[in-house]
Amino acid sequence: MPSLVDPVANKTDEGNNRTDLKAPEPEHCPGTESEEAGKADACQGCPNQDICASAPKGPDPDLPLIKDRMKGVKHKILVLSGKGGVGKSTFSSLLGWGFASDLDREVGLMDIDICGPSLPKMMGSEGEQIHTSLSGWSPIYVSDNLGMMSVGFMLPNQDDAIIWRGAKKNGLIKQFLKDVDWGNLDYLVVDTPPGTSDEHLSVTQYLKESGVDGAVVITTPQEVALLDVRKELDFCRKSGIKIIGLVENMSGFVCPNCKGESFIFAPTTGGGKALAEEFNIPFLGSVPLDPRIGKSCDHGESFVEEYPDSPATTAILDVIRQIREAVGDPQEDEDDDMDE
Amino acid sequence: MYSTATQSSPSLAGVKNIVLVLSGKGGVGKSSVTTQLALTLAAQGKKVGVLDIDLTGPSIPRFFGMEDKQVYQSSAGWVPVYTDASRNLCLMSLGFLLSSRGDSVVWRGPRKTAMIRQFIRDVVWGELDYLLIDTPPGTSDEHISIAEELRFCDQILGAVIVTTPQGVALADVRKELSFCKKIGFPILGIIENMSGYVCPHCSECQNIFSKGGGENLAKQYECKFLGTVPIDPKFVLMVENAKGGLQEIYGETDMAKIFAGICDKAFSEENEEEAKETAEEEKSRAATNGQ
Ligand SMILES: Nc1ncnc2c1ncn2[C@@H]1O[C@H](COP(=O)(O)OP(=O)(O)OP(=O)(O)O)[C@@H](O)[C@H]1O
Ligand SMILES: Nc1ncnc2c1ncn2[C@@H]1O[C@H](COP(=O)(O)OP(=O)(O)OP(=O)(O)O)[C@@H](O)[C@H]1O
Ligand code: SF4
Ligand code: SF4
Ligand SMILES: [Mg+2]
Ligand SMILES: [Mg+2]
């Protein structure tokens, strides 16, 4: 069983992929696994120079292994946002449940938020432990056709902090892609932490050869969030990730008691819709604030199933339908999406 | 090139107290709380600096309505952005150094570490009563780096931890508290943000939005509970529309009263002492337990 016995004990290795480095890479490090490692200008005087110079070079030997694993995965979707707490994990879980409600589809959920994993709780599988077999790490199955992988399943104690630098997180992300026995999947949904850093760079780099269908970008309506989401869109562009669309979450609040509507996060600059227009990307819809979404997440339940009448459910199902269309796997026409 | 701190940075010499605002969870209101603590302390006549070490999603320029301002380089180092002529509140953020607000900062750990080092060593803060540090969520490069940079600082007052009532937030915040214990940061207390909602139409729905959790967490980790802050759409609007001058507008708001109470609790001498002692105990306990 893979377990992170004492993550903190590893703190002193500065979280390198390579555990043999003496010090963190300096600012202009060409990359410890690059051709230039140990020889570039930045390497002069770097305490790692000898180690890097003598390390084996060439293309990452793990990439073909990842490609091999990912062969059986038809659609890979990243859930991204520059901003924290906008609902990336909530949406990843909703996509997981949504795709898996079609019993003919096999779905995987991968949580690469290493320091703040939320999916185990949201999927009601907290406290599970990962097992290994000859074919790799077995995902945790929430239902027959919905498996998941998260660092949350690897902690001896749920409250432990994972104090890891980026490079070390990359190592685990690589293992999630290389060593997990996903089997054949129709969808692999990847939940990410906020920002544009190691996790994002690595997952796109590792999946480059296998091909990612695209990213679903989540925002909330206020400019403080849009500001960060702009940066994420810029990142997607630069790294060549297709954007499936933008979802605006927590748009307005319709009280379940009185149907009165009020704005909690006012869209003073036009919200997600205007941003989607500005970047010329599809706008997948607005999901209103519904406090019951937060409660369903905390209880590990599928909101869509629990509250089929909520206006939020209608919006969520519509987003899922559009995503399936965008990746070329349209839903068969059912008169009522909610009928199982 | 590469060097970790071996002594406290001289650029912090005039800073009396350093406070970190932390949370394991994203979007719980770290930047909002940092902003409001700064405004409240400044209103009390303190000299306050705000350092934003959220490098890939800096929000502080936006929160203060100062997005168009720039940091400039003097012979002594980077001069932070002052919010008004009274010069008792100044800000430093990567946001001020970007040429366009839409630019993404796609940096791996080492670049982030180098930037934070520069923020700690090269900013001309001058005399400050409080330096508040706004952080990104998590326990990774930024957090490890700031802890390393501040290792030899004896001005660290401690950390203010922000959570929201949802279980997913509390779970991540527990990890942040474990981090503080491991690193030996004193914990000044926990704030529960976005706790309950007062609807502008009537007051029927108070119980729809969840409340609670923060206080229990404080008990469990033996630290102070600093108070709850409700969801307030007016606050969002104030930030959205701010074009600077926040110091005057903020004093009139409901939030200002709440944060006055929070500051009294967090920055009382007695609380500061207690937090320090607990952290030292933790530290020595950790040391004697061996690695
Ligand atoms: N439409 C909604 N209505 C009400 N609550 C919501 C809604 N969407 C998300 N939430 C709640 O908001 C909180 C933040 O959501 P979530 O954890 O999914 O965000 P995140 O973007 O993954 O955050 P992080 O940046 O920390 O990973 C959760 O408690 C979630 O239950
Ligand atoms: N008490 C509150 N009432 C209403 N809105 C709030 C409140 N606190 C924060 N917000 C709003 O919630 C959003 C998220 O807050 P903020 O940006 O401060 O979170 P954060 O923890 O700094 O996020 P990140 O993890 O992305 O840095 C902001 O738009 C902010 O204006
Ligand atoms: S020797 Fe060169 S490649 Fe190795 S860590 Fe130092 S700078 Fe990076
Ligand atoms: S949303 Fe407002 S108007 Fe509607 S029941 Fe709740 S408190 Fe009353
Ligand atoms: Mg998340
Ligand atoms: Mg912030």
Side-chain angles (χ1 to χ4, degrees):
Chain A
M1 186 191 74
S3 130
L4 309 169
V5 179
D6 185 8
V8 182
N10 295 317
K11 199 192 140 246
T12 43
D13 76 19
E14 306 291 354
N16 251 290
N17 274 347
R18 320 190 18 152
T19 44
D20 51 349
L21 294 192
K22 291 184 198 151
E25 309 92 320
E27 184 177 357
H28 298 290
C29 170
T32 53
E33 272 139 40
S34 70
E35 287 289 332
E36 289 286 283
K39 295 181 217 143
D41 288 348
C43 304
Q44 305 308 318
C46 171
N48 302 320
Q49 198 174 8
D50 293 345
I51 306 171
C52 290
S54 59
K57 300 278 159 29
D60 186 341
D62 289 327
L63 289 183
L65 300 176
I66 292 176
K67 198 175 172 194
D68 206 44
R69 277 279 185 211
M70 290 295 133
K71 251 191 210 140
V73 181
K74 284 205 191 112
H75 303 293
K76 300 166 210 78
I77 298 172
L78 306 177
V79 179
L80 296 174
S81 173
K83 178 77 185 142
V86 294
K88 292 176 293 300
S89 305
T90 305
F91 240 86
S92 303
S93 73
L94 289 168
L95 288 180
W97 264 306
F99 293 147
S101 69
D102 187 339
L103 296 178
D104 298 332
R105 297 288 179 277
E106 292 290 328
V107 184
L109 268 179
M110 193 173 106
D111 184 358
I112 62 166
D113 190 339
I114 309 293
C115 293
S118 311
L119 283 186
K121 191 179 213 79
M122 289 185 178
M123 302 305 288
S125 49
E126 236 180 343
E128 302 267 358
Q129 298 277 328
I130 290 166
H131 299 278
T132 48
S133 70
L134 280 178
S135 47
W137 303 359
S138 308
I140 301 293
Y141 283 91
V142 183
S143 66
D144 284 345
N145 60 339
L146 178 56
M148 58 183 296
M149 184 51 68
S150 167
V151 73
F153 300 133
M154 304 170 76
L155 297 172
N157 180 347
Q158 288 306 319
D159 297 348
D160 283 349
I162 303 194
I163 309 172
W164 286 8
R165 286 190 182 270
K168 188 151 185 199
K169 296 194 275 191
N170 300 338
L172 187 64
I173 293 170
K174 193 185 247 180
Q175 281 187 290
F176 279 0
L177 291 166
K178 178 170 70 80
D179 296 338
V180 176
D181 180 19
W182 291 106
N184 287 332
L185 292 180
D186 293 283
Y187 290 98
L188 180 66
V189 178
V190 183
D191 180 23
T192 63
T196 46
S197 190
D198 282 280
E199 297 89 334
H200 311 82
L201 280 166
S202 299
V203 77
T204 43
Q205 189 184 322
Y206 298 153
L207 286 176
K208 192 143 220 163
E209 284 191 42
S210 324
V212 174
D213 288 65
V216 175
V217 182
I218 317 286
T219 186
T220 53
Q222 72 279 31
E223 184 56 33
V224 177
L226 297 172
L227 175 65
D228 289 354
V229 174
R230 270 199 184 85
K231 296 180 194 293
E232 197 76 31
L233 295 173
D234 185 46
F235 164 75
C236 287
R237 273 198 180 162
K238 284 183 186 156
S239 37
I241 305 167
K242 186 188 150 201
I243 294 161
I244 296 176
L246 182 70
V247 179
E248 181 180 275
N249 191 19
M250 311 195 197
S251 337
F253 162 54
V254 182
C255 172
N257 284 350
C258 70
K259 314 288 176 208
E261 181 160 8
S262 50
F263 279 107
I264 290 182
F265 301 123
T268 52
T269 54
K273 194 148 197 232
L275 186 69
E277 275 162 23
E278 182 188 326
F279 276 78
N280 200 14
I281 53 175
F283 183 64
L284 301 179
S286 308
V287 178
L289 244 161
D290 186 333
R292 295 172 299 184
I293 293 184
K295 285 179 191 153
S296 295
C297 283
D298 282 357
H299 296 143
E301 291 161 350
S302 163
F303 171 78
V304 171
E305 269 171 40
E306 299 283 320
Y307 303 100
D309 298 332
S310 163
T313 297
T314 318
I316 293 163
L317 290 177
D318 192 45
V319 171
I320 296 175
R321 186 184 52 74
Q322 291 181 65
I323 295 174
R324 285 192 56 168
E325 268 166 26
V327 300
D329 178 32
Q331 243 158 293
E332 277 125 57
D333 253 332
E334 284 166 50
D335 286 328
D336 187 353
D337 282 330
M338 284 319 298
D339 284 342
E340 285 257 88
Chain B
M1 285 251 79
Y2 171 70
S3 63
T4 35
T6 49
Q7 61 182 67
S8 178
S9 157
S11 84
L12 296 177
V15 177
K16 292 208 187 88
N17 299 294
I18 299 176
V19 177
L20 291 113
V21 180
L22 296 171
S23 171
K25 179 81 184 130
V28 294
K30 290 173 292 299
S31 307
S32 309
V33 164
T34 310
T35 304
Q36 298 186 74
L37 291 176
L39 290 169
T40 308
L41 289 168
Q44 292 171 357
K46 305 284 196 312
K47 277 184 142 331
V48 185
V50 177
L51 172 62
D52 182 0
I53 61 164
D54 191 338
L55 305 175
T56 59
S59 318
I60 289 297
R62 175 79 203 178
F63 269 101
F64 284 89
M66 300 264 136
E67 278 188 289
D68 51 350
K69 296 289 190 300
Q70 297 233 313
V71 162
Y72 70 93
Q73 182 94 38
S74 77
S75 56
W78 280 334
V79 181
V81 169
Y82 286 87
T83 57
D84 65 11
S86 70
R87 292 175 74 84
N88 57 4
L89 181 51
C90 63
L91 317 171
M92 184 70 209
S93 166
L94 189 60
F96 295 127
L97 298 163
L98 300 177
S99 51
S100 151
R101 65 196 291 271
D103 282 356
S104 58
V105 174
V106 188
W107 287 357
R108 291 195 183 266
R111 288 277 314 263
K112 295 199 273 192
T113 301
M115 191 72 228
I116 287 172
R117 189 171 299 154
Q118 249 185 311
F119 275 161
I120 291 297
R121 299 184 188 179
D122 296 345
V123 178
V124 204
W125 292 110
E127 299 285 320
L128 290 181
D129 293 304
Y130 288 92
L131 176 64
L132 308 180
I133 304 183
D134 184 20
T135 62
T139 48
S140 192
D141 290 289
E142 293 87 341
H143 308 83
I144 299 171
S145 304
I146 196 83
E148 279 177 352
E149 279 305 307
L150 296 179
R151 186 160 36 183
F152 297 97
C153 264
D154 48 15
Q155 302 108 308
I156 298 183
L157 258 193
V160 170
I161 309 281
V162 187
T163 187
T164 58
Q166 290 84 10
V168 279
L170 292 164
D172 286 354
V173 171
R174 286 206 177 86
K175 296 184 194 296
E176 201 72 32
L177 288 163
S178 306
F179 168 81
C180 289
K181 288 204 164 180
K182 284 261 154 67
I183 300 281
F185 277 160
I187 297 166
L188 289 172
I190 297 177
I191 297 178
E192 181 176 308
N193 190 26
M194 307 207 214
S195 170
Y197 171 56
V198 186
C199 167
H201 302 299
C202 79
S203 53
E204 194 83 346
C205 73
Q206 307 234 4
N207 295 321
I208 297 178
F209 281 89
S210 47
K211 252 188 196 177
E215 193 155 10
N216 271 334
L217 193 65
K219 272 203 199 103
Q220 191 192 337
Y221 280 81
E222 292 169 9
C223 53
K224 198 159 201 161
F225 183 62
L226 299 175
T228 56
V229 181
I231 296 173
D232 184 350
K234 290 193 298 280
F235 172 72
V236 182
L237 270 179
M238 182 189 82
V239 170
E240 289 287 292
N241 297 326
K243 301 261 182 311
L246 222 54
Q247 265 166 283
E248 281 138 48
I249 316 167
Y250 183 70
E252 309 290 310
T253 62
D254 298 341
M255 288 293 229
K257 294 187 196 88
I258 297 172
F259 270 86
I262 288 176
C263 280
D264 285 348
K265 273 196 194 154
F267 305 125
S268 71
E269 245 165 65
E270 166 202 3
N271 186 43
E272 290 166 2
E273 281 305 315
E274 239 169 68
K276 239 173 209 168
E277 272 166 32
T278 324
E280 258 149 44
E281 275 168 32
E282 283 295 330
K283 223 175 183 172
S284 59
R285 193 184 311 164
T288 48
N289 280 356
Q291 324 303 315

